[in-house]
Amino acid sequence: MSSTGLSQEQTKSALEVIDELMLHPIAQIFSIKVDPELDNVPDYYEKVKKPMDLGTVKSKIIDNAYNTLNEIKADVNQIWENAEIYNGRPSLEVFMADRLKKIFDKNFSTKVETKSHEDWTNEY
């Protein structure tokens, strides 16, 4: 394993967590890029300066674009922040984002961030 980038195990686990999240019944609106015209949100890109979606996160994991697990978490958290930036509280979109955030945080910490034997020995 190189000192930069994610291990194969981390990549595989992160992909599983994202795939699982994308299958959640309320995740559909967060799974693809916002299309201002199709989604009837013409001012979306005026308000949201750092667009992100689960499909983009998945592609970046597959393309080995992340060097750390924190980079993945930052992108996923950007999705939830964008929902709040655009829709405000209270709104259905933010309620759904909050629900998915809880699921993501729990699954990511238990399935991805747990240290493997190799991680422990490398630290030592």
Side-chain angles (χ1 to χ4, degrees), residues 10 13 18 21 23 27 35 53 64 67 71 85 91 99-100 110 117 121:
Q10 289 172 319
S13 299
I18 296 297
L21 198 61
L23 290 172
D35 180 320
D53 61 90
N64 294 312
N67 289 311
E71 291 174 11
I85 289 167
S91 66
R99 295 285 305 185
L100 292 170
T110 57
H117 175 73
T121 52

Side-chain angles (χ1 to χ4, degrees), residues 18-91:
I18 296 297
D19 282 342
E20 202 174 293
L21 198 61
M22 288 175 80
L23 290 172
H24 195 286
I26 63 173
Q28 188 176 357
I29 65 166
F30 304 105
S31 294
I32 57 171
K33 284 183 175 71
V34 169
D35 180 320
E37 201 173 306
L38 281 176
D39 299 330
N40 200 25
V41 287
D43 59 345
Y44 187 80
Y45 291 112
E46 291 165 30
K47 292 182 178 181
V48 174
K49 300 303 178 199
K50 288 167 56 180
M52 187 52 61
D53 61 90
L54 293 169
T56 298
V57 172
K58 179 178 177 171
S59 295
K60 287 175 74 174
I61 294 170
I62 291 168
D63 294 340
N64 294 312
Y66 293 112
N67 289 311
T68 67
L69 295 176
N70 282 337
E71 291 174 11
I72 298 173
K73 283 173 31 179
D75 272 359
V76 173
N77 284 325
Q78 188 66 54
I79 299 167
W80 319 138
E81 284 174 36
N82 290 347
E84 188 167 352
I85 289 167
Y86 190 78
N87 299 287
R89 286 183 184 273
S91 66

Side-chain angles (χ1 to χ4, degrees), residues 2-19:
S2 65
S3 58
T4 57
L6 305 176
S7 70
Q8 283 184 317
E9 191 178 316
Q10 289 172 319
T11 300
K12 183 175 171 280
S13 299
L15 268 178
E16 285 172 9
V17 169
I18 296 297
D19 282 342

